[in-house]
Amino acid sequence: MIINHPLLGPRDAAEFVYLGDASLIDRPDWQDPLAAEKFHDYLYLRDNPVGNHRELWYHEQGDRSWLVVTRNTLTHEIIKVELATDVARKRGRSR
Amino acid sequence: MSQPHRINGGLTDRTQALHFTFNGKAMQGYAGDTLASALLANGQRLVGRSFKYHRPRGIFSAGSEEPNALVELRRDAHCEPNTRATVAELFDGLEARSQNHRGSLEFDLMAATDLLSPFLSAGFYYKTFMWPKAFWEKFYEPIIRASAGLGRLSGQSDPDFYDKGFLHCDLLVIGAGPAGLAAALAAGRSGARVVLADEDFVLGGRLNAETMQIGGQMGSAWAAAAGGELAAMGNVRLMPRTTVYGAYDHGIFGALERRTDHLADTTGAPRQILWRVYARRSILAAGATERPIAFANNDRPGVMLAGAVRTYANRFGVTPGRRVAVFTNNDDGWRTATDLAGKGVEITAIIDTRKIRPLASIPGVVIMTGAHVTGTAGRKGIKAITLNTGQRIPADCLAVSGGWNPNVHLTCHQRGRPVWDNDISAFVPGGDLPPGMTVAGAANGTLTLAAALKEGHATANAALKSLGFTPSRSQAPVAEDEPRTLEAFWHVRAGRGRAWLDFQNDVTVKDVKLAHQEGFRSVEHLKRYTTLGMATDQGRTANIPALAIMAECTGKTIAETGTTIFRPPYTPVPIGALAGRARGKDFRPYRLTPSHKWASENGATFVETGNWLRAQWFARPGEKGWRDSVDREVRMTRASVGICDVTTLGKIDIQGRDAAEFLNRIYANGFAKLAVGKVRYGLMLREDGIAYDDGTTAHLAENHYVMTTTTANAVLVFRRLEFARQCLWPDLDVHLISATDGWAQFAVAGPNARALLAKLVDAPFDISNEAFPFMACASLSVCGGTPARLFRISFSGELAYEIAVPARFGDAMIRALMAAGKEFDAIPYGTEALGVMRIEKGHAAGNELNGQTTALNLGLGRMVSKKKDCIGNVLSERAELNRPDAVRLVGFKPVDRAESLAAGAHFINRGDPADMDHDQGWMSSVAFSPMLGHSIGLGFISRGHERMGEIVRAVDPIRKREVEVEITSPHFFDPEGERLRV
Amino acid sequence: MRYSAMRVLLEGLTGNRGWKPVWRDPEPKPQYDVVIVGGGGHGLATAYYLAKQFGQQNIAVLEKGWIGSGNVGRNTTIIRSNYLLPGNEPFYEFSLKLWEGLEQDFNYNAMVSQRSILNLIHSDPQRDAFARRANAMLLAGADAELVDAAQLRRELPFLDFDNARFPIRGGLFQRRGGTVRHDAVAWGYARGADSLGVDIIQNCEVTGFNIDNGICRGVETTRGNIRAGKTAVCVAGSSSRVMALAGMRLPIESHVLQAFVTEGLKPLLPGVITFGAGHFYVSQSDKGGLVFGGDIDGYNSYAQRGNLPVVEDVCEGGMAIMPMIGRARLLRSWGGIMDMSMDGSPFIDKTHIDGLYFNGGWCYGGFKATPASGYCYAHLLAKDTPHPTATEYRLDRFARGHLIDEKGQGAQPNLH
Amino acid sequence: MSKSVSEPASEYRLHPMPFLGGYDQVFSGLSLREAVGLAIVSIALPRGNPAGPALEKAFGTALPEVGKSANAANDKYRLLRLGSEQVFVLFEHATADAESEIAALIGGAAYTTDQTDSWVALSVQGARVRAVLARICPLDLHGGVFAIGNVARTSMEHLGTIILRTDEDQFLLLSASSSAQSFLHALETSIRYTA
C-alpha cells in the first residue's frame, strides 16, 4: 500500500506502523465519574467496519508523525490522509 | 543427425550448438532454444510422470502454462526441482532430469497405481485409511507422501544469492507481445518513464511463434526492431526474463527478474532479483493461453496444444512430430496445419468439431469437420488417433486447440472477477480492475493481431493522457486481422478411457462428474475436492474446460458457475528470491555497542539481544565454563569495581516547556517535581494498566530530560511517547529525539567506582557522596575535555554510576576506564553478571515485565499514582487485576541450598497435586548467587508478599525436577540498600 | 452411507456410481430450535456436537457462500495445544484430544497427522518462557518436550545451526501437535451433522436479527425469515459486521492473515516448525507442498488478500532458519480474515440479548480449536452454562480485568 | 567552540574513532566515503511559540519546506527539514561541541540536541549511484521526483536512513551509528550486485 503523506507525498506503507481505530485519539477524562467504563469502551470497543475506516498510522521510518488515514477495509483504497495532531486539535484535544 | 526433429527456419542460432544432458543422455541444441524445444528436437517425447497415476507425460505447451514437462535442473545444492522445460533457457552444460518416478522414467514402478485408478477417484482418501486408527500416520500417510510430491529439494542450503530492488515508473507494461510492444512504443515516445517486462527471454510474445506480418515485416523481425528502439530510449527499462507475478495495492507490483538461470556459471552475481515496481499506471498485455479439448487418453506424450506446435516449428525450427494431426474447434488450429505443412512436415489429418467448410486444403491430408477425436493409441507416445467415425489415423503428434483464454490473472489479484465473453467463449477482464490498470490485446480478449496492436497503442495513449503526458503522434503499427472464429467445445463424450483435464494432478472428466454427484458443486468445492487446478501450473489449461463440464452437470452457464479466485503469484516464485539478502547473518542488521571492538579483543562472548550484540561474559584463562567467569565478574564487581557497557538501553532526549508535565502523565509515578540534577526511577503502564517498561529519567537542565528505557522496548516507548504527544496532548510543548546511539554509556559499579571515576572526571567537578549523591546527574567533562554525562544510578545495588560520552569516544572511554581501573582490579562484566546482580537485588527485568504483570504483581503497586492523569492508572483499578490472591513478585531459595532452581518452574503448595488447578505461580528468573553461595530465584506466587518463610514446591516436570523452595524477600543481597548510598 | 475401504473398493468396481452427496441441499424451514450462523469449521462442528452429544434435533447452519469458505478453508492446518495460561491450555488440550478421535467419530478421513510441532528457542529468556509454558502444558495433561540444540541438530539437520543471525538454542516440541487436511474438517463435520438431521443451508446470508424486547427470536436472511429458539453466531472474520446487525460492538478487529504453499516436493519436513525470532512457521502437506505463514498484515481488512511486505518478511524468516528452501517456489498465497481479539483469546458466550450467542475472536488460532469450539459452544447452547474448559471466554472479561493475554501485548489486536 | 583555551589536563585523553574508521573506497563508476567530521545538530521547533523568524535570522535563510534542504547564508550550515517540527543542521565541525555552537547561534529560539554521534554519514557518488541505491532504497530517486537538495527519511535493509541528494549523481546517507557496519555492508553488497 502507499500512503500519501500530507507533508512528504506518497510513501510505502511499509515505512509505517499501524495502530488502529482513530478513536484512540479520544482518550477519556480520568476524572469522569464513569471513567472506568469510558476507558473500557475507549480501549476495547473500537470501530471495525467493512468500508471506510479512520485509523492511526505512525511514520516510524519517516518523519515520526502520526497520521489519521481514512481507508476502505474492503478495497484498501485510501480516501484521506491527515496529520493526527491536526485531527486531535480539531477534536478538542489540547494540553 | 543428432537432432532428428530439427527443421529449417526459426530464431535459434544454428552457429551456436549447446550441449546438455537429459537423464544423463547427451544431447545438443542451439542458442535460443528452451530445454523443451531442444528435447523435442532430439526426439525426446517422454519427459515426466503425472502426480497421482504416474502416467507418461510429454511436453504439452511452449510456455509457463506447462503442466507436464517438469524437470530437475542442475545438480547437488544447485538442483532446482519442478522446473518447466518450456521456459528453461538452454545453456551449454545444462543437466536436466525427469522426476516423480521410481526406477527409470521409462519404467516407473509407481505406474502400477494407474491400474488402481477406479479406486483412486477424486477424494477417495477421505473415505478410507481410517482403520486401524494408528495406521494413518505410520503406514498410509508415509506411502501417500512418498508417492506424491514432485521434484526433490537437495536438502542443502541454497548456494545462490538473491537480491531485491525498487523500480518506479509512470507506466508498467506487462507482456512484450504485440499489444505490449505497441503500448511501450507509444509510451516511450511520449517521454513517460516506462517499464516493459516479459517472462520470455525474447521480446515479441506470439509474434515469434507465428508467421504474421506487421508493416510488411515478419512479426518477429518487427518485434526485434521495436525492442531495439525501446532499448535506445533512456526513459524505458526493458526487462526480459521478468515475470510480473502479483498486483498489490495502490499500483505496487511484484516482479521476478531471472538473471543467471540461463547461464552455466552462476557464481558471484545474484541469481534472481525481486523487484517491487511502483507504477502510476499499468497495462496488462499478458496475452492468452490456449486450452485443450478433453477426450479419452488425451494425456499421452505427443498430444500438444496446437499453438505450441506452431511455436516449436516457427520459433525454434523444431517439429514435435513427423506426422502431425490437428484437432480443433476454431480457426487457429488450421494455422498449425498450414504452418507446419509449409515447412514440409507431414500433416495427417485436420479434425474440426465445427461443421464448417474446410479453411485450407493440403494435399494428402484427411480433413474432417463436425468430427471428434475419441481416443489415442501409444503407451509412451501417441502413434495414432481414432475418430468418432471409427477411423484410425496415424499421428505421432496431435495438435489440439480448444480456443484461447485471456491471461486475466493480474486483473483479479485485488477484487476483480472476470466476466464471460460468449464471442470467444472465455473469461475476459471484468470491471473491477486494480486501480490504474488497463488491459490490452489478447489478455483483454482481443485475439487478433491488428486489433491487439491498435489496442496496445490506444490503451497506452489513454494512460499517458490520464497522467498528463502528451501522447506522441506515432500511429499504431499496421497489420491484418487473422480469422478467429470458434465454437465452444469442451470434451468428447464418446470414446473409452479417461479424459484428462488437469494433466499434472490427474483430474479427469469423471472426477468432475463425481464431485458433482457428491455435492461439491461450487467451483471452490470442485477445486478442493478434486485438486483440479492446484498443481504447479495452477490449472492454466485445465480450469475452464473443467468449469464447462461442471456447468453442464448443474445445467448452469459457465458465467453462472464462475471461476475460482486467481491469487498471486502468476507463476511460482522461489522463496530465496522473496527473501532476498535476508539469510544467515544478513537476516537482520547488527547493532554493535561502542565497546564492541574492545570487548572482542578481551575475550567477550557475545549474545544477541534484539538486534544488539552484547558482551555476555569475559572469559579469563583457566576458567572452565561461563559460570566461572560470571561468578568472578559478580564477586569482583561487588568487591572492587566492574564496568559494563549499557549503551543498549534506550535513551530519549526530551525537551520542551511542558516536558515535566508530559513525563508526569507518561509515568505511573510522579515526575512533576523532579529537580534539575536529579534522576528518578519511573514505571510506565500500558493504558490497560499492565506494567510496560521501566527506567530512569534524568532532569539535565530546565526543560530538558533524558529518559532511559529497557533495551527491548526502546523503539516501542518512543512510538508511544510520540502518540501521546501528537494524538493525546497536541498542545503540550514537548519534543523527542532518540539519543540511544549518540552516547556510549558505561555502568561503573562497586565500592571503588567513585575512586575510579574520580581519575577521569575533569576538575573541578566533585563527585563526592555529598556533592553528587545517589540519584544525582550532571553534564560535565572527562579525560581532559570530552563532554560527558554522569548519572549516579545503580542496577547492581553497588555504589554505581553510569558515565556517558559521545559514541565516537566509546572505544577510547572503555580503554580509559580499564586503564584507570587497573589499580582497583577493575573488570568488565557482561549481561550475565548484570543479570545475577539484579536478581540478587530483586529488580524486575524482561522476564518479570513480560506484558502480563501489573504494578501490583511486581510489588510496585504503590508507585501508581491515583492523584493525577497518567497512562494506565484508570484501568489498572479493574477488579480482577486487584484480586487479593493475585500473584506477587517475591524471592525463592532452595530449602536444600545445594539444589539449583529453574526458571519456568511452577509453584505448587506442599501436599497439593501438581496440576493446573493447583498452580500457584511461576519462577521467572534464577541465578546462582556467588555472594550467597546458592541458587536464588525471583518468581510470582499467589499472595506471595504474605507468605514469607513458607515452603512450596517448585515443580518443573518438563525437566523432570522438583525442588522445595522457601519464599523470601526478593532483595537477597544488601536488602537495606546501604551499599549504593555510600 | 458409511465410508470404508470396502466401500471404496465396491464403488470402484461399479464405476463409482453409488456415491451420494456428502450433505443434502435442503430448503430452509421456517423455524429451528437452534440456528447457527456461519458454515465454517466452528459452526459445522457446533451443529455436529449439538446433534450428537447434546441430543438437539432441529438445527440449521446458515452459510452465506459455500461451506468451509472462510478460515477453515484457508489456513495453515496446524493443530496443537501448546498454550500457557489456565484460561486457554485446558481448552486447547481438550480440542487436541477431540482431534485425536475425530475421524473415527465422524467417519471421514481428515488426515489428522500428529507429526509434531516445534517452537525454536533462540535466547535464554525465551527458554525460560517456554519452560514455563511447557510446564503449564504438562500440568494440564498435555505433552511437551524441551530439547537442546544438539538434539535438534540430530532431528532436523537442515536447520541453520551454524550461521543463523539468531542462533538456534533449542526448542519446545509438542509431539502430539501436527496438521489436519483443513477442507476435510469442514466436509467431515458437515457430513456428520447432515447425517444427524442438521440442515446445512448454503448461499443463505443473514441480513438481520429479529430482536424483540431484548430477546432474539430468529434471523432475517436472503432466503427469508427463520425463527430460532437460539441463535448462535459463529462467523470469525465477519464477527463485527454480523453482530453490528444486533447492535453490538465487539472487542475484535478484523485483520488479514496471509498463508502460502509451495510447489509439491518429495518429503522434506517431518513436522511443523516455528521460528522463534522471526515470523515463520511451516509444515509439509501430504501432497508435498510446504505450507507456511507468518504475521498478519497488521491493518484492519476484510479484503482476503495481503501485501508484499509480509510475504517478504515471512520468506525472510524461512530462509533465516532453513536456507535449503531457497529453491522451493511459492506457488500460491491467500488471505483470510482473522477475528483478532483485544487479548488474543476467544469468546464463547451468551450476549446481553436473550437467545443470542456469540463465538468468535479466534485470532489466527481458530483452526486447531475447531472441535473444542464446536463442542463447548454446543454445551453452552444446550445447557446455558459454559463447558468446564471454556469458562473464561466471556465478553465481559475486559471490564472485569480478566485478561487472557498469552503474548502480553495488551489491547493491540495486530500484535497477538 | 574550537579546540581552545582551557582544556583540563588528563592522562586519559580520549581520541574519537569514526564509526567506519574513515572508510573511503572507489569502485568502478562509484565512490563511497564516510563523511568524517560532519556535525549534526537537531533543532526542535517549539509548539505555540514560532521560532521561524529567529531561525531565519540566525541562518540567513528561511527554513526549508519539509523534505527539502537549504544552505545558510554563510554556506557553512546545511539545514535539512525532516519534519514539521524538526530540522537537522549539518556542518563541518571536528570537536564534540557542535550543539553548543548551534544553541548559541539561535539564542534559545528552539531546542537543540547533538545528533552527531547518533549517525554514521556516507557519501556515495558516481554514474551508477541510482542503480546501486535502487536495490535498497524504496524512494523514487529520479531527478524529476527527488531533486538536488531533497531530503527524506526512510528505511533501507531494515535500517532507518536519511537520504539527501547533494548532486545529480551524489547522495549523503545517514544511518544509525550502532549499525554502521551493517549499513555499509548493505551498500557494499548493492555495489557488488550491480557491478
Side-chain angles (χ1 to χ4, degrees), chain C residues 311-383:
Chain C
V311 185
E312 296 178 32
D313 185 64
V314 170
C315 292
E316 289 176 6
M319 285 300 281
I321 55 164
M322 45 175 84
M324 71 164 172
I325 62 174
R327 302 177 98 79
R329 296 191 197 91
L330 171 69
L331 175 64
R332 202 164 58 243
S333 64
W334 61 94
I337 305 307
M338 307 295 123
D339 35 336
M340 303 298 296
S341 73
M342 290 288 162
D343 60 0
S345 293
F347 308 96
I348 302 176
D349 203 0
K350 302 183 199 179
T351 70
H352 69 282
I353 300 165
D354 268 0
L356 181 61
Y357 296 74
F358 178 72
N359 172 324
W362 293 98
C363 302
Y364 42 78
F367 180 70
K368 66 177 132 6
T370 305
S373 169
Y375 198 104
C376 295
Y377 203 19
H379 185 285
L380 178 70
L381 287 162
K383 305 191 171 194

Side-chain angles (χ1 to χ4, degrees), chain C residues 105-306:
Chain C
D105 190 62
F106 67 19
N107 180 229
Y108 201 79
N109 183 3
M111 304 179 198
V112 174
S113 179
Q114 293 183 284
R115 322 178 58 71
S116 85
I117 181 164
L118 167 69
N119 286 276
L120 293 173
I121 294 171
H122 306 271
S123 69
D124 290 344
Q126 206 173 25
R127 182 183 290 113
D128 295 345
F130 274 129
R132 179 187 167 203
R133 183 198 296 217
N135 282 327
M137 291 161 68
L138 293 174
L139 293 180
D143 68 305
E145 189 182 333
L146 210 53
V147 298
D148 61 15
Q151 183 179 340
L152 269 187
R153 193 191 279 262
R154 283 194 297 275
E155 281 197 49
L156 305 168
F158 51 80
L159 296 179
D160 192 347
F161 289 96
D162 300 318
N163 193 39
R165 172 69 179 79
F166 298 102
I168 296 170
R169 303 203 187 276
L172 170 61
F173 267 115
Q174 185 177 30
R175 303 280 182 186
R176 287 164 60 242
T179 58
V180 180
R181 168 84 181 101
H182 57 324
D183 288 318
V185 175
W187 302 337
Y189 274 122
R191 181 169 173 276
D194 177 89
S195 69
L196 294 166
V198 173
D199 281 359
I200 295 168
I201 302 162
Q202 301 188 84
N203 301 308
C204 179
E205 181 172 1
V206 169
T207 55
F209 295 93
N210 289 318
I211 296 167
D212 175 17
N213 276 331
I215 302 170
C216 182
R217 308 278 185 192
V219 292
E220 297 159 7
T221 79
T222 51
R223 295 175 72 171
N225 288 358
I226 299 172
R227 282 176 284 122
K230 289 177 178 174
T231 303
V233 176
C234 193
V235 295
S238 299
S239 292
S240 296
R241 187 176 60 76
V242 170
M243 295 309 280
L245 299 173
M248 284 182 68
R249 281 164 72 82
L250 297 175
I252 284 176
E253 284 181 5
S254 295
H255 285 259
V256 63
L257 175 68
Q258 299 189 70
F260 311 91
V261 64
T262 68
E263 297 176 339
L265 297 161
K266 291 295 178 198
L268 195 68
L269 300 184
V272 184
I273 299 170
T274 304
F275 186 19
H279 306 291
F280 180 75
Y281 50 87
V282 65
S283 64
Q284 189 169 17
S285 77
D286 284 342
K287 284 190 67 195
L290 305 182
V291 180
F292 62 101
D295 239 359
I296 56 176
D297 267 44
Y299 42 80
N300 288 45
S301 176
Y302 288 89
Q304 293 200 336
R305 64 189 164 79

Side-chain angles (χ1 to χ4, degrees), chain B residues 308-465:
Chain B
V309 172
R310 279 200 310 284
T311 305
Y312 288 115
N314 292 329
R315 173 171 169 183
F316 296 104
V318 171
T319 179
R322 298 237 165 270
R323 291 194 292 184
V324 177
V326 174
F327 181 33
T328 185
N329 68 348
N330 66 84
D331 300 352
D332 214 49
W334 293 78
R335 228 181 330 276
T336 301
T338 51
D339 281 6
L340 266 75
K343 290 181 174 288
V345 178
E346 182 190 344
I347 305 297
T348 57
I350 302 173
I351 319 299
D352 196 318
T353 59
R354 300 173 296 175
K355 291 187 175 116
I356 57 163
R357 267 215 318 235
L359 300 179
S361 95
I362 306 170
V365 178
V366 177
I367 293 182
M368 308 261 300
T369 61
H372 311 144
V373 174
T374 56
T376 64
R379 243 173 57 72
K380 288 175 190 163
I382 69 163
K383 294 175 179 150
I385 56 172
T386 36
L387 309 185
N388 55 325
T389 58
Q391 198 172 347
R392 183 182 163 98
I393 295 172
D396 60 359
C397 171
L398 176 63
V400 183
S401 180
W404 293 75
N405 293 323
N407 291 328
V408 299
H409 306 67
L410 267 69
T411 68
C412 303
H413 280 183
Q414 291 175 24
R415 293 183 53 73
R417 292 283 181 278
V419 296
W420 185 254
D421 181 339
N422 263 325
D423 285 346
I424 60 167
S425 287
F427 282 102
V428 296
D432 220 351
L433 302 186
M437 180 185 282
T438 45
V439 192
N444 201 32
T446 306
L447 294 175
T448 56
L449 179 57
L453 289 166
K454 273 187 213 142
E455 193 168 86
H457 182 82
T459 310
N461 280 344
L464 295 168
K465 270 190 205 152

